Amino acid sequence: MNLLSVILLAVGLAMDCFAVSSMKGVVCGKRPWLMAVFFGVFQGGMPLIGYVAGSAFANVIDRFDHWIALVLLTIIGGKMIWESFHEVEENNSKSDGSIAELLTLAVATSIDALATGVIFVPYSWKSVLLDMGIIAFVSFAFSLLGYHVGKRLGTHLPVNVELLGGLVLIGIGVKIFVEGMGWWPL
C-alpha cells in the first residue's frame, strides 16, 4: 500500500478518536495526553492483530484481498456514516476521565481498526510495522487535536468528522478494489 493510502486510512480510522476526544474535551478536562496515547496504541495495535490473524490465511486471502478490503472498509465507513446521522446515547454525566474509562474508549474506537488489518496481508512485515506506526501517530495526533477543539468549541464543531471519516474509508476501499482488479492505471 502506498504512503498516501496509508495516511488516508490512518485519517479515516482516527476520525472516531477525534470525535470521542472532542466529546471528552467538552465534558471532562482530564488526561488528554494519556487518552491520546491509549487511542494511538490501540488504533496502531489492532490492525497489527488483524494482520497476524489474516496472515495465517494469506494464501486464500491473496486472491480476494481487494474484495475483502472493499467490503470491510465499506462496512466500517458505512457504520461511521450511519452513526454520524444518528445520535448515540451516552451518559456524559459519569465521564470522569479515569484510566478504566479511557481504556474502554480506546478499545471501543479501535475495534474497526482490527478488521482493517486484514487488508495489509499482501504486504511485508516491515512495511506493515511502518504503516501501523503511521496509524498510531495519526490517531494520537487527532485525539489531542479533537480534545482541544472540543474544549474550545464545545458541541459546535463545524465539520461532521464521523461522516468525513466514513467517506474516506469507503473511498480507500474502492481504490484498493480498483487496483486489485487491475483497473487502476497507475
Side-chain angles (χ1 to χ4, degrees):
M1 190 176 300
N2 66 33
L3 182 61
L4 179 60
S5 293
V6 172
I7 291 171
L8 288 173
L9 177 63
V11 168
L13 290 172
M15 291 300 179
D16 275 350
C17 297
F18 183 90
V20 171
S21 297
S22 58
M23 179 269 303
K24 296 303 290 175
V26 171
V27 300
C28 178
K30 297 180 182 176
R31 302 182 177 163
W33 286 93
L34 184 60
M35 178 180 57
V37 167
F38 284 171
F39 282 14
V41 167
F42 278 87
Q43 288 285 13
M46 290 295 220
L48 191 57
I49 294 169
Y51 169 79
V52 170
S55 293
F57 305 102
N59 56 347
V60 175
I61 290 175
D62 202 28
R63 291 179 285 152
F64 304 104
D65 60 349
H66 51 285
W67 283 97
I68 293 168
L70 176 66
V71 170
L72 287 176
L73 292 174
T74 299
I75 289 170
I76 295 166
K79 178 179 168 274
M80 288 177 71
I81 292 169
W82 187 87
E83 288 174 352
S84 75
F85 291 109
H86 297 84
E87 200 170 309
V88 177
E89 192 174 315
E90 294 183 27
N91 187 354
N92 293 334
S93 63
K94 295 187 179 189
S95 179
D96 60 359
S98 69
I99 291 176
E101 180 188 21
L102 296 179
L103 278 172
T104 302
L105 289 172
V107 170
T109 58
S110 65
I111 295 298
D112 295 347
L114 176 68
T116 64
V118 175
I119 69 175
F120 291 96
V121 168
Y123 304 102
S124 73
W125 180 249
K126 186 177 177 181
S127 170
V128 170
L129 287 178
L130 176 64
D131 295 346
M132 298 309 122
I134 292 169
I135 291 170
F137 176 77
V138 170
S139 295
F140 171 83
F142 271 55
S143 296
L144 278 181
L145 178 65
Y147 174 84
H148 290 293
V149 167
K151 191 134 185 90
R152 286 182 179 52
L153 297 179
T155 58
H156 305 292
L157 296 177
V159 176
N160 186 333
V161 292
E162 277 192 305
L163 173 64
L164 182 60
L167 292 172
V168 167
L169 291 180
I170 291 171
I172 292 167
V174 169
K175 180 184 180 291
I176 291 170
F177 176 76
V178 168
E179 286 175 341
M181 295 297 289
W183 301 337
W184 195 259
L186 301 176

